[in-house]
Amino acid sequence: MLSACRQLSALDIHTIATTLFTFEQAVLAAECGCTYIAPFVHELKAFFDESYHDGGANLVLCHEIQQYYQKHQYPTKVKAAGLLSLDEAKALAGVATMTVAPDLLRTLATTRIDEKDVCELSLFRDDNKIEEKKLERKSYVYDEEGWRQAYAEAYDGKGQWKTVEAIGIFQEYQLKAERLIQETEQGSRDAN
């Protein structure tokens, strides 16, 4: 998929690499010329199963990636995705862009937010820098084996697991959509 992003970027077609869960995925997406990346701060399952709690948002990932991109002058922008709370939105104040679900958008629209409070909670404060070792340049675009190993080891394998789970959820919804289309088409044929 990222090779397609490289080809599209070469044609000046904007791309987004979405459903990212690891720093390694973000580095590779920037190397491939993606215009945006959309790292999910929660597991996808947290949005479809109200009883499921994923152990907390990976907000720091967005901060690390944005600082990495800035340091190495990648034009790729971080578009934080998968926020569940007002405090998460405050913590990500300063990210290039973010997607906000309708419920959270309503909460933001109806909540008085003190600028000082946001400045103190934001991970993107000037005094909150990522350690230099984490920001050292990495390159995976011509090192698939190195990327696969780093990706598999990231967050003790949780990033890879979250990606597999997300693909499964997307497949499930695709199958539901296909069944709905088939049922609708069948209903139309039966009506005629």
Side-chain angles (χ1 to χ4, degrees):
M1 178 170 75
L2 288 176
S3 63
C5 289
R6 284 179 77 186
Q7 292 172 20
L8 292 169
S9 294
L11 297 171
D12 202 29
I13 297 172
H14 298 281
T15 58
I16 183 168
T18 188
T19 323
L20 280 78
F21 296 100
T22 70
F23 191 86
E24 292 73 18
Q25 289 172 302
V27 169
L28 185 58
E31 287 185 298
C32 291
C34 290
T35 310
Y36 294 96
I37 61 152
F40 272 65
V41 299
H42 285 281
E43 294 171 34
L44 224 49
K45 187 175 182 178
F47 296 91
F48 299 102
D49 182 351
E50 290 183 20
S51 66
Y52 181 75
H53 299 286
D54 64 1
N58 191 358
L59 304 169
V60 173
L61 177 63
C62 297
H63 183 227
E64 291 173 341
I65 295 166
Q66 187 160 300
Q67 279 200 10
Y68 181 85
Y69 287 172
Q70 289 169 346
K71 178 175 180 154
H72 299 291
Q73 300 177 337
Y74 283 109
T76 305
K77 300 290 183 213
V78 177
K79 185 174 196 162
L83 287 72
L84 291 173
S85 73
L86 179 61
D87 284 342
E88 291 171 3
K90 290 177 186 178
L92 290 175
V95 71
T97 61
M98 67 174 76
T99 60
V100 181
D103 288 343
L104 181 53
L105 191 57
R106 278 189 279 283
T107 300
L108 285 165
T110 59
T111 304
R112 185 183 175 287
I113 300 172
D114 182 62
E115 185 177 338
K116 183 180 178 215
D117 181 38
V118 172
C119 291
E120 289 174 0
L121 289 174
S122 175
L123 293 172
F124 295 84
R125 301 182 313 273
D126 289 339
D127 67 338
N128 190 26
K129 298 292 182 193
I130 304 299
E131 71 176 77
E132 282 300 313
K133 184 164 178 55
K134 181 74 177 184
L135 297 177
E136 288 176 2
R137 183 176 288 280
K138 296 158 186 54
S139 182
Y140 299 115
V141 74
Y142 298 111
D143 182 13
E144 183 175 348
E145 183 179 329
W147 180 84
R148 286 184 184 276
Q149 181 176 347
Y151 173 58
E153 294 171 356
Y155 308 104
D156 297 321
K158 290 180 185 145
Q160 192 173 30
W161 177 83
K162 289 177 183 183
T163 303
V164 169
E165 180 185 59
I167 291 168
I169 290 170
F170 288 140
Q171 286 176 325
E172 182 181 323
Y173 276 88
Q174 178 180 342
L175 292 173
K176 286 180 182 180
E178 289 173 2
R179 282 193 297 273
L180 180 62
I181 290 168
Q182 289 171 352
E183 290 168 7
T184 303
E185 288 174 345
Q186 185 63 45
S188 294
R189 282 192 292 273
D190 291 346
N192 291 332

